[in-house]
Amino acid sequence: MRATNLLDIRAVSKTYIVDDEPVEVLRNIHFTVAEEEFVTVIGESGCGKSTLLRLIVGLDIGYCGDILLDGTRIAAPGRDRGIVFQDHRLLPWLSVEQNVALGLDASDESPAAVKQAVAANLDLVKLADFGRAYPHQLSGGMAQRAAIARALVAKPRILLLDEPLGALDSQTRAYLQDELLRIHQRGKVTMVMVTHDIEEAVYLSDKIVVMEPRPGRVRGIVPVELPHPRNRAAADFIAVKERVLASLVNGPPLCFDAAPKSRPIVPDGRARRFG
Amino acid sequence: MSRISLTVGRPSIASRRGMAIPCVLILGWIVVGSTGLVDRHFLVPFQRVVTVPFLDPDGRTVWLGLAASLARMVAGFAIGAGAGALLGFAMGLSRFGNRLIGPSFTAVRQVTVFAWIPLLTAWFGNGEEAKLVFVALAALFPMALNTQQGLRDVPVAYRELASVLRLSPRRRFTRVLLPSALPSIVVGIEIALISAWIGTVGAEYAMGFGRGVGIFLVQGREQFRMDIVIVGVIALAVVGYLINATFRSLLARWVPWRGNPS
């Protein structure tokens, strides 16, 4: 297999049981993420995009199909994947430094190495002066940057972002979008981001996976071949936006991957949150 | 026993307003007492209540009684809260533990704590053991319940985070579960202490024998000494207040992130 396909999602389906009724959340999802690619998954709420990230990160391993990271099927959380949630989930009783260090807690690195990695990653997200601060002393954008540092500190192969900017005001959001791009380019990190903001998806990503809800399916995959930095007002930017919008609303599926037949969907246990 | 929520506040002018009602009451008491409108047996003069614990030979025993009661409370609390914390951790950390202990715990908890007195006196007599067991029981239930609730209420978001970060069971406990449950556990300690204090005095009152504020109160009532009864009641209130005040400051110090939800 070629090393450039870091993440390979093949015929993934997921069904929850809610009140003894099976509810199909994901049906026959297919797409790939290449090394160092920035892929966004977009769709209205209820299309299962957050569920998909939970599967990739390994929080939920009861799914049909295959999610292959470097050719290995995902069966548990691992150091090769980091995740940033919409709520920053910094632990309020730990300082920013301690929160970031928690990303290396399961590793067997020496305290000095951990300290160095924490400092380097705080520096990367421009929080070098805030290591001793506590989460409640940070603004929403700073807290989210600390969460990014925590996810990156173990040097994951892939960074998963679950609407990380969704709860921020538009100015902070625009700033953090540029920060994400900078981190992506500087750190050579592969990123998969879930969002419901079309402009954000077009601004950031190399490829947009458009999903439709109930059950969550891939409606189309839109490549974004615009050079960085991108101009949100440029005609070609708006053209891509229109394409995404068209496929999101009611357009026919675009450039659909040749998908093998879906495997049977097997209900797999307890009801959990929908994404 | 329900959970008490505390607000962590700093002393301010506003909090001093709480002194207004006691001051007015004491003033009224002094005035009414000195006019002789009310029989001195029913409402002793304020001045007498102030001097009795120091000058009256019977009144002075309040200090010994207080010391005995406090020692009894601390010992009973240590046993009961320790056992309660263990039960709470067992029920809060392990699904198996909760299924095993939970139903029995919930059933036994429904028994009003004072209903244990006849049973305990039958088993342990009227002496120190029965009182200690009673105080321990009074402390056990709130401690166990708050510990269990605190652990059970750890947000799913934090549990998921611990999984994603692959924390070891030990680190998961020390870094995530315990700090998250700490506010509830501290409140549990406070309720357990207050409950142990009420239990101490109640046990003394109901079982008699030996020394203690409860026994001091019984003697005051039997000799129709209103001054002694009031001194006893004030001693109870002061200890209760001190427990409460201590825990407010402890909560603020141990759980500084509370009140600053981020």
Side-chain angles (χ1 to χ4, degrees):
Chain A
M1 122 176 270
R2 281 181 60 205
T4 46
N5 255 356
L6 182 61
L7 186 70
D8 197 347
I9 295 174
R10 291 185 187 167
V12 167
S13 298
K14 171 77 192 170
T15 302
Y16 287 120
I17 302 293
V18 179
D19 300 331
D20 293 330
E21 295 287 319
V23 177
E24 199 180 2
V25 194
L26 293 173
R27 180 187 288 174
N28 200 23
I29 305 292
H30 273 274
F31 65 91
T32 58
V33 179
E35 198 112 35
E36 290 178 30
E37 201 174 18
F38 197 137
V39 174
T40 51
V41 179
I42 195 165
E44 58 187 276
S45 43
C47 73
K49 50 197 196 303
S50 288
T51 301
L52 185 61
L53 276 201
R54 292 172 58 85
L55 297 184
I56 299 172
V57 83
L59 274 174
D60 192 339
I61 52 168
Y63 60 89
C64 297
D66 288 311
I67 300 176
L68 304 174
L69 186 72
D70 245 355
T72 313
R73 192 175 195 269
I74 283 167
R79 187 179 172 166
D80 46 14
R81 283 149 289 150
I83 188 165
V84 178
F85 299 97
Q86 179 170 9
D87 47 332
H88 54 72
R89 297 195 191 180
L90 298 175
L91 298 175
W93 46 86
L94 299 180
S95 69
V96 170
E97 265 170 7
Q98 290 171 315
N99 266 293
V100 174
L102 219 51
L104 280 172
D105 205 78
S107 74
D108 40 17
E109 255 148 84
S110 70
V114 170
K115 210 175 160 191
Q116 204 182 0
V118 169
N121 279 278
L122 282 178
D123 197 47
L124 179 70
V125 299
K126 298 183 177 164
L127 282 176
D129 296 334
F130 291 89
R132 298 273 162 84
Y134 280 82
H136 66 82
Q137 297 168 313
L138 304 182
S139 68
M142 288 161 87
Q144 210 49 284
R145 270 145 61 198
I148 293 170
R150 178 180 61 193
L152 286 176
V153 73
K155 293 199 169 57
R157 304 280 316 269
I158 189 161
L159 181 66
L160 306 163
L161 301 140
D162 189 0
E163 296 192 42
L165 314 182
L168 304 173
D169 61 83
S170 55
Q171 250 183 320
T172 313
R173 206 180 160 107
Y175 169 71
L176 275 185
Q177 287 169 356
D178 287 330
E179 286 297 286
L180 273 180
L181 276 181
R182 184 178 62 81
I183 292 165
H184 177 242
Q185 280 153 13
R186 188 176 134 186
K188 305 274 179 213
V189 199
T190 309
M191 293 190 181
V192 175
M193 175 161 158
V194 157
T195 182
H196 55 250
D197 181 336
I198 299 175
E199 188 175 286
E200 183 167 279
V202 178
Y203 188 73
L204 293 175
S205 47
D206 305 315
K207 185 157 98 183
I208 300 172
V209 178
V210 181
M211 288 183 67
E212 64 182 322
R214 282 172 287 275
R217 283 153 293 172
V218 175
R219 175 166 263 171
I221 294 177
V222 181
V224 187
E225 280 149 356
L226 305 171
H228 287 286
R230 291 176 183 164
N231 178 356
R232 291 169 219 258
D236 47 1
F237 188 96
I238 291 166
V240 179
K241 245 173 88 173
E242 289 301 326
R243 278 186 68 195
V244 177
L245 190 64
S247 64
L248 201 55
V249 178
N250 49 12
L254 326 146
C255 43
F256 213 88
D257 282 359
K261 255 196 140 141
S262 173
R263 297 185 192 185
I265 290 145
V266 181
D268 69 71
R270 285 172 297 127
R272 295 190 73 169
R273 262 186 339 143
F274 292 92
Chain B
M1 192 90 41
S2 64
R3 288 207 308 174
I4 295 174
S5 69
L6 299 177
T7 47
V8 179
R10 289 163 200 83
S12 63
I13 297 170
S15 75
R16 269 182 230 136
R17 278 188 204 134
M19 297 303 291
I21 291 176
C23 286
V24 168
L25 284 178
I26 287 172
L27 207 69
W29 184 1
I30 293 172
V31 171
V32 173
S34 56
T35 54
L37 279 171
V38 183
D39 189 330
R40 291 171 66 90
H41 287 296
F42 292 107
L43 189 75
V44 291
F46 178 72
Q47 299 86 324
R48 182 152 174 76
V49 170
V50 175
T51 54
V52 153
F54 304 100
L55 303 177
D56 187 274
D58 288 329
R60 258 183 287 190
T61 59
V62 73
W63 303 105
L64 288 171
L66 196 57
S69 290
L70 284 175
R72 193 169 285 140
M73 172 187 85
V74 169
F77 167 82
I79 300 166
L86 285 181
L87 276 178
F89 281 125
M91 289 187 290
L93 288 175
S94 127
R95 201 166 290 175
F96 173 75
N98 195 29
R99 290 216 189 101
L100 186 70
I101 308 168
S104 317
F105 177 79
T106 312
V108 175
R109 193 167 62 84
Q110 306 307 321
V111 180
T112 309
V113 77
F114 284 97
W116 287 95
I117 288 183
L119 208 57
L120 293 181
T121 48
W123 288 342
F124 300 99
N126 277 354
E128 198 58 32
E129 295 89 352
K131 292 188 189 112
L132 272 183
V133 173
F134 181 74
V135 175
L137 268 181
L140 182 139
F141 291 108
M143 191 65 217
L145 198 65
N146 273 270
T147 307
Q148 183 215 14
Q149 278 185 348
L151 289 168
R152 202 190 49 200
D153 293 347
V154 174
V156 177
Y158 291 162
R159 294 179 192 275
E160 284 181 357
L161 182 73
S163 302
V164 168
L165 298 176
R166 293 162 300 123
L167 300 185
S168 66
R170 191 177 66 84
R171 294 287 280 175
R172 186 186 174 90
F173 178 70
T174 57
R175 280 301 206 201
V176 181
L177 300 179
L178 189 60
S180 180
L182 193 60
S184 176
I185 294 175
V186 172
V187 171
I189 296 174
E190 185 195 8
I191 300 175
L193 260 182
I194 289 173
S195 172
W197 180 235
I198 294 169
T200 302
V201 177
E204 290 165 357
Y205 200 92
M207 299 180 198
F209 286 105
R211 284 200 184 282
V213 178
I215 293 153
F216 182 81
L217 275 169
V218 173
Q219 287 166 349
R221 189 196 59 187
E222 283 172 354
Q223 296 161 12
F224 209 65
R225 288 279 304 269
M226 277 319 263
D227 47 353
I228 283 186
V229 170
I230 290 174
V231 166
V233 169
I234 290 173
L236 293 184
V238 167
V239 172
Y241 177 81
L242 287 180
I243 292 173
N244 199 283
T246 311
F247 271 83
R248 268 174 199 228
S249 69
L250 270 189
L251 202 60
R253 195 170 312 154
W254 288 357
V255 196
W257 60 89
R258 216 164 166 250
N260 294 307
S262 50

